[in-house]
Amino acid sequence: MILIGIDAELGPQVFKLDPAGYFVGFHATSAGQKQQEAMNHLEKKWKKLSGGRGADDAVGAGKTLSRSEVIEMAIEAQSTVHATDYKPGEVEIGIVSTGDEEPEKERGKWRVMPVDEVEKHLLAYAEKD
């Protein structure tokens, strides 16, 4: 299980829990089929952040990312490890954000992106290649 949320003092938080109750905090993680490959991919991308200083200052590196960059990094990880290009109806993206780009009534709350918003991120990722 992956839990995400916004801590008032620490900002965004991601925790992964296993059935025995063990939990670990992450900057980026994956679960399910091919999770290790996805986590390896995310770790490599994270280390390259901030001009290659992401491994030394993971928190600082994460703060350099925009909301769209985070979403596109997740899409890239999934597309890479599954060797497929997703269509908007084939992927579901959940988000918790307090950013100004979020509608005011949804800031800080969990939501699943509508298909048209997912499509925008898939197109932006595809155009990077």
Side-chain angles (χ1 to χ4, degrees):
M1 175 189 313
I2 298 174
L3 297 176
I4 62 173
I6 307 291
D7 182 284
E9 294 177 15
L10 301 173
Q13 301 292 304
V14 177
F15 291 92
K16 191 170 180 182
L17 291 83
D18 71 11
Y22 178 74
F23 65 94
V24 178
F26 286 93
H27 297 289
T29 191
S30 178
Q33 186 179 16
K34 297 193 177 188
Q35 76 177 18
Q36 191 57 53
E37 291 93 331
M39 288 178 65
N40 291 343
H41 179 86
L42 290 167
E43 184 177 345
K44 287 177 188 172
K45 295 293 285 187
W46 205 270
K47 285 180 180 180
K48 292 179 184 177
L49 295 176
S50 297
R53 294 188 307 272
D56 299 328
D57 182 14
V59 173
K63 290 179 181 179
T64 67
L65 291 170
S66 71
R67 175 181 175 268
S68 293
E69 289 172 320
V70 170
I71 294 166
E72 288 159 25
M73 185 186 292
I75 290 169
E76 178 183 355
Q78 288 297 103
S79 293
T80 300
V81 300
H82 289 275
T84 189
D85 292 326
Y86 291 105
K87 295 179 180 79
E90 296 175 336
V91 64
E92 186 175 80
I93 299 174
I95 188 168
V96 176
S97 176
T98 56
D100 294 336
E101 65 278 350
E102 288 296 315
E104 192 170 331
K105 66 179 183 173
E106 295 181 4
R107 285 187 191 150
K109 296 180 181 176
W110 169 261
R111 72 178 180 92
V112 176
M113 286 185 181
V115 174
D116 61 323
E117 191 175 354
V118 171
E119 184 174 19
K120 289 177 189 175
H121 290 290
L122 289 171
L123 288 172
Y125 166 67
E127 289 174 1
K128 281 184 175 181
D129 293 339

